[in-house]
Amino acid sequence: MNPVAVIIPALNEAATIGALVAGTRRQGVAWVVVADNGSTDGTADAARAAGADVVAEPRRGYGYACAAGAARALALGAATLVFMDGDGSARPEELPRLLAPLAAGTAGLVLGSRVRGGAERGALAPHQRFGNALTAALMRRLYGLGVTDLGPYRAIRADLLGALDMREMTYGWPTEMTVKAARRGARVVEVPVTWANRRGGRSKVSGTLRGSMLAAVYILGVTLRYARRERGSRKGAKGLRRKGRKERSFFSSLCALATLRLCVS
């Protein structure tokens, strides 16, 4: 297997990061890179003590942290990149599931599906399940991707990631990765992964209504934006303007629906 780096974007995850890094290193990967996104609780020190390569990214944003971690992993010589959140929800022992299709040459991007693998009670809030189902349905309709989940636990070939020209420095990073990989004709597959309750600290997304709404807006926006660009390039400027008006209206309706669903959850 080509050298693997696991990238963990982290913001104030001192309670979980040490055990997560240690468990990930036991899987035999070449590097564990923790991208510290401006933590104030000693996350970087805890990660370093557990054996991680720590890179600082003070600009707040999930995408900024992922990009900083990816840049460090590529500089180290990684050929395969795995992304894993720092809250302990993902299980390092399931890494082989994500890596197997890449090693076999049957995929360029592998997504860990919490829908197929199952989640502990309370690990995914109702509005998270709703948002994932909605985005997955859009992926199937707009890009022909038979996915069930747009979760953060994923693996990708380094050369493919480098070709994607990633620009979303928000919670839209994973969605942009999936959409652009599909548009390039890369094989995108899912494998089941299980999902645990966070092992400490507080979620930056599902822990607050504001965080959940921001994530929903970013993710849905990215999903629709690239579909509009692709169709516009085929149909010309006139068709793009017409389609753009329709999709902006559609997007507004989706955001309103998401807001309502979040408020009653």
Side-chain angles (χ1 to χ4, degrees):
M1 182 73 183
N2 292 323
V4 175
V6 176
I7 298 156
I8 307 176
L11 173 60
N12 292 331
E13 300 287 9
T16 60
I17 199 68
L20 183 60
V21 169
T24 304
R25 293 184 67 208
R26 285 196 293 269
Q27 302 308 309
V29 299
W31 304 281
V32 178
V33 178
V34 171
D36 181 36
N37 202 203
S39 300
T40 58
D41 67 345
T43 292
D45 290 339
R48 199 173 287 113
D53 187 304
V54 178
V55 58
E57 175 47 84
R59 293 172 295 179
R60 288 290 177 91
Y62 184 81
Y64 277 122
C66 288
R72 177 59 178 162
L74 293 173
L76 290 169
T80 300
L81 308 183
V82 178
F83 292 87
M84 176 193 300
D85 279 358
D87 61 4
S89 294
R91 291 185 165 93
E93 60 268 25
E94 294 179 350
L95 263 172
R97 298 185 189 179
L98 282 89
L99 296 175
L102 297 179
T106 57
L109 170 63
V110 183
L111 308 178
S113 171
R114 300 164 293 186
V115 173
R116 294 176 60 189
E120 288 182 357
R121 184 179 180 87
L124 290 173
H127 55 265
Q128 287 179 287
R129 294 181 184 274
F130 170 78
N132 281 332
L134 177 59
T135 307
L138 286 171
M139 287 285 184
R140 290 192 293 272
R141 178 166 182 171
L142 298 175
Y143 302 99
L145 284 177
V147 298
T148 62
D149 191 9
L150 274 295
Y153 199 14
R154 54 186 52 212
I156 186 170
R157 294 196 326 262
D159 63 322
L160 175 58
L161 181 63
L164 297 184
D165 187 27
M166 297 289 291
R167 296 176 179 268
E168 298 295 330
M169 295 298 115
T170 64
Y171 292 115
W173 166 280
T175 305
E176 181 191 17
M177 183 190 298
T178 306
V179 166
K180 286 187 170 180
R183 289 180 65 189
R184 288 187 64 87
R187 180 84 185 278
V188 180
V189 303
E190 278 190 334
V191 296
V193 296
T194 53
W195 206 248
N197 286 290
R198 74 162 25 247
R199 298 312 188 198
R202 184 180 183 186
S203 173
K204 287 74 181 175
V205 178
S206 61
T208 67
L209 178 62
R210 179 178 181 273
S212 298
M213 269 306 303
L214 283 175
V217 168
Y218 289 138
I219 291 167
L220 290 172
V222 170
T223 303
L224 294 171
R225 184 184 316 132
Y226 286 102
R228 186 166 67 242
R229 289 178 184 174
E230 182 175 352
R231 293 180 182 184
S233 66
R234 292 199 303 262
K235 296 182 178 180
K238 184 176 180 180
L240 174 60
R241 287 193 296 271
R242 187 185 308 116
K243 194 68 178 179
R245 286 193 295 271
K246 290 181 180 178
E247 287 184 350
R248 279 194 295 273
S249 175
F250 182 45
F251 178 47
S252 298
S253 299
L254 286 176
C255 287
L257 180 61
T259 303
L260 175 62
R261 182 67 181 86
L262 289 168
C263 288
V264 300
S265 295

